[in-house]
Amino acid sequence: MKYALMNGIILDGSEHMEPVSGKAVLINNGIIEDIVDEKSHIYGYEKFDLKGQYLMPGLINMHVHLAGTGKPPKKQRDNTKLVKLLFSNPVSARVAYKMVADFARTALMSGVTTVRTVGGLRDYDTRVRDEILEGKLDGPRILAANEGISVPGGHMAGSVAVPVSSPEEAAELVRKSAGQKVDLIKLMITGGVMDAKEKGVPGELKMSPEIVRAACEEAHRLGFKVAAHTESPEGVRVALENGVDSIEHGAKPDEEILNLFREKNAFLTTTLSPALPYALFDRSESHISEVEQYNGNVVFRGIIENSKAALAEGIPVALGNDVGCPYITQYDFWRELVYFHKYVGVSNQFALYTATKRNAELAGIGDITGSVETGKCADLIVTKKNPLDDLKALRNVTMVIARGIMYEHPEYKHLPKVEAALDPYLD
């Protein structure tokens, strides 16, 4: 289908983007064929009037778990037991697959046209990815890691990560993932807020440097980048020293860590969303202990400090929101941009650039998507208001275009209680 998007205000996704009017975006076979003056003669294209709305690249979420609802549990649950139950019979396994596929569609309908998954149920992420590409499902472009690699008793071991006990097992699991045609490898190097037993020690190192190194060497040999869950300075240091390409979450850095980022050409994926409820919610609402809240604040402030320092030192920063964690739904990635602006202090312009063109570049797909440019894939969204004035404009997307396929008036199921709990932290 050939069509022209007319009468829109273009935000192209570049670092210094400014609104541009009077241009028509011509789309042919899913590609932005040209961007021309609206007053020029446009023949052979079906015309869509955007009525003065804002047209921009689709959002790119760099840290996603497609199996998570984001609905907060009233008490801690055993994720390992839950996953075992899901795969205990073919019926529940099919239900789980449909859930993952439905969540992928929800992400797309909210304006996210690309996701990078970093821990999922078995090989479901690559299977959903392929069905989307085949036109069997609606969903975003997926860069999939499938199951992560953890250690016994480590972060997400037995749920969305597989535990290994030696460097040899880690390398073998990388090869297994390669056989599933993943796009990247995910390691769970440290613990998180919930498994810290004392105040001030979240992100305890769980994976040995030898296992990290073995996984990274095998991944790089096979052509894969490696992302790593790390929530402590020690974890970040071990990850970077042993070959990890992206630090997911981060922690308060020192000069040595910043030098390692530069030396290893690594980037940071900032994820403010999952730590915010632990750090800032009243415990009567979050249902966590005083120790967990204290440690949640350590992680939240560490991520903020890591982001600020990285940006100040010219270290690349991506944005993800760890969707699937409590209070982080499959449709609210836009909140991460608001938090990036509010807590890290970047401009609205820079936040939108990071969540579009910059994320695409850091994901290795900058030549394919992430900006409104001739030759790029038509991954686009439309909003009534200008997100450069207020990023909350991204909350209400009136049109989504993914690989040239147009979805007008996109809809998805909301979680009103989650939204009500999070909305006070937007301003």
Side-chain angles (χ1 to χ4, degrees), residues 19 39 60 134 152 158 185 194 220 267 283 318 350 362 366 391 409:
K39 295 180 180 178
I60 298 173
E134 292 165 5
I185 300 297
M194 301 298 285
H220 293 157
F267 67 87
R283 288 196 292 116
F350 191 85
L362 294 174
L391 290 165
H409 313 295

Side-chain angles (χ1 to χ4, degrees), residues 100-113:
V100 170
D102 288 347
F103 283 152
R105 188 182 194 281
T106 295
L108 178 64
M109 293 300 105
S110 72
V112 176
T113 55

Side-chain angles (χ1 to χ4, degrees), residues 86-140:
L86 284 175
F87 290 104
S88 62
N89 65 81
V91 175
S92 59
R94 285 195 296 271
V95 169
Y97 183 78
K98 185 179 185 304
M99 175 188 68
V100 170
D102 288 347
F103 283 152
R105 188 182 194 281
T106 295
L108 178 64
M109 293 300 105
S110 72
V112 176
T113 55
T114 299
V115 300
R116 175 174 171 260
T117 71
V118 284
L121 298 176
R122 296 194 176 177
D123 64 345
Y124 281 9
D125 291 353
T126 50
R127 286 172 55 188
V128 169
R129 175 199 65 191
D130 294 345
E131 289 208 67
I132 289 169
L133 291 174
E134 292 165 5
K136 296 177 181 178
L137 296 172
D138 292 322

Side-chain angles (χ1 to χ4, degrees), residues 26-90:
L26 308 183
I27 297 173
N28 184 5
N29 196 30
I31 302 296
I32 300 174
E33 188 174 51
D34 207 350
I35 301 171
V36 301
D37 194 296
E38 280 186 339
K39 295 180 180 178
S40 62
H41 297 291
I42 300 173
Y43 297 110
Y45 295 83
E46 184 176 354
K47 296 179 181 179
F48 287 87
D49 185 356
L50 297 183
K51 299 179 180 178
Q53 297 184 98
Y54 291 83
L55 176 69
M56 68 207 76
L59 302 180
I60 298 173
N61 191 343
M62 290 283 278
H63 194 109
V64 169
H65 301 283
L66 277 178
T69 69
K71 186 176 180 180
K74 292 185 178 180
K75 60 180 181 178
Q76 286 194 41
R77 62 190 178 198
D78 187 334
N79 289 318
T80 300
K81 184 177 180 180
L82 177 60
V83 170
K84 284 183 179 179
L85 181 63
L86 284 175
F87 290 104
S88 62
N89 65 81

